[in-house]
Amino acid sequence: MAQIEQSDKGGKKKKGAQKKMSIHVDFTPMVDMNMLLITFFMLCTTMIKSQTLTISLPSNEKVEQNQMNKAKESEAITLILTTDRNANGDVKKDENGRPMNTVYYFEGMPEVADENGDGLIDNNKLKAEHFVGNDGKIQQGIRKILHDRNKQVLEKIDKEKARWRAKEFSPNKDINDSIYQARAREIRNDSTLTRPVVIIKAAPEASWESLISALDEMQINQISRYQIDNINQVDSALIIDYLRKNPKK
């Protein structure tokens, strides 16, 4: 409670002198009330399961030395990201207002041999695609390439997803989701399935949006083995050779 105390030291006071008062506030009841309120809210609070985005993180599985060459040849696919820019360095956009990002890709190991000496690579495996969404249920662009390479994993995960939606695991929805996520993780990391190893490289002119789009494709296609690497001279030579053979209109 607040108290107002008037000081009176006695003695003769001057005429018109103001009376001095001191205010004393007792905060003890307020502290007690705050503790009661905190206790009340703690007891009445309903704990809600946090809604988070599930991300397919790269697996930390180890690849033996004698399997590295095999993985590079039969499973590896390299994506090289580029973005068209104008003279001022601004990103060009197409007629639909989308950034003009190009994804060059090749499977296995690159080949840069020029045996006939014409200045062109004899067997350039580089191809070009773009980030394009689905046409209904049909994949397009680089998404179709990645989807086809990870087809076995996606088919098994789709079966588990159908069972999860049909509530075959348990009548409890939360448990259903937990079991489905655990089984999907096991499928993504199943070494007995044919799975790609994706290497993502960004050219100097590539935009951040193109890199984010590439990472989104890893999540959409349930690819667990991927890494971001630096572009090298061989990659640049492949792109230059490709543009010579396929000049942009």
Side-chain angles (χ1 to χ4, degrees):
M1 298 179 66
Q3 298 178 354
I4 300 177
E5 298 177 356
Q6 181 177 345
S7 59
D8 186 6
K9 297 181 179 180
K12 187 175 181 180
K13 297 182 180 180
K14 295 181 180 180
K15 186 177 181 181
Q18 295 182 350
K19 297 181 179 179
K20 294 183 179 181
M21 299 181 180
S22 61
I23 301 175
H24 171 71
V25 180
D26 185 6
F27 283 97
T28 303
M30 184 176 293
V31 173
D32 293 340
M33 181 184 66
N34 289 335
M35 294 303 297
L36 290 174
L37 288 174
I38 293 173
T39 305
F40 171 77
F41 288 125
M42 288 179 63
L43 294 176
C44 296
T45 300
T46 301
M47 298 299 177
I48 301 176
K49 181 181 178 181
S50 60
Q51 302 295 322
T52 57
L53 176 64
T54 302
I55 300 177
S56 304
L57 296 175
S59 63
N60 58 353
E61 61 182 288
K62 296 181 180 179
V63 181
E64 299 297 334
Q65 186 67 29
N66 58 0
Q67 297 178 347
M68 291 183 65
N69 292 333
K70 180 181 178 182
K72 289 180 181 179
E73 290 293 337
S74 63
E75 301 176 352
I77 176 171
T78 302
L79 309 182
I80 306 175
L81 313 177
T82 64
T83 302
D84 292 348
R85 297 179 180 271
N86 57 24
N88 296 325
D90 299 326
V91 177
K92 291 183 179 180
K93 297 185 178 181
D94 58 17
E95 55 186 9
N96 297 320
R98 294 176 299 186
M100 298 178 65
N101 298 316
T102 303
V103 184
Y104 297 99
Y105 72 96
F106 62 87
E107 300 176 354
M109 297 292 293
E111 297 182 15
V112 291
D114 180 18
E115 296 180 357
N116 55 14
D118 61 353
L120 300 176
I121 298 174
D122 298 335
N123 187 21
N124 190 348
K125 299 187 294 183
L126 195 70
K127 299 178 183 178
E129 277 293 352
H130 298 87
F131 295 112
V132 185
N134 293 353
D135 182 8
K137 293 184 178 181
I138 301 176
Q139 294 80 21
Q140 301 180 104
I142 194 63
R143 182 174 301 177
K144 176 174 173 53
I145 305 300
L146 297 172
H147 178 275
D148 293 344
R149 291 299 302 269
N150 205 34
K151 193 172 183 179
Q152 289 187 5
V153 172
L154 290 170
E155 286 178 349
K156 295 195 70 172
I157 290 180
D158 287 342
K159 291 180 180 178
E160 295 296 328
K161 185 182 294 185
R163 294 181 59 194
W164 168 59
R165 289 176 175 174
K167 297 185 178 181
E168 291 185 14
F169 295 134
S170 168
N172 188 305
K173 185 177 180 180
D174 293 335
I175 296 177
N176 273 344
D177 181 69
S178 300
I179 296 176
Y180 163 70
Q181 296 295 345
R183 294 191 180 183
R185 191 181 306 111
E186 292 176 0
I187 294 172
R188 287 193 296 268
N189 298 329
D190 188 354
S191 59
T192 63
L193 300 176
T194 301
R195 301 172 299 154
V197 179
V198 182
I199 302 171
I200 304 172
K201 299 183 178 183
E205 69 274 10
S207 63
W208 279 105
E209 183 178 356
S210 64
L211 180 58
I212 294 173
S213 297
L215 295 176
D216 287 342
E217 294 298 331
M218 300 300 107
Q219 311 303 321
I220 293 171
N221 292 284
Q222 301 287 343
I223 296 175
S224 62
R225 300 192 297 175
Y226 64 89
Q227 69 177 45
I228 300 175
D229 202 354
N230 296 321
I231 191 172
N232 54 38
Q233 294 180 351
V234 174
D235 302 323
S236 299
L238 290 174
I239 294 176
I240 293 172
D241 179 80
Y242 178 89
L243 293 175
R244 287 178 180 175
K245 297 175 181 176
N246 304 276
K248 293 184 178 181
K249 297 180 181 180

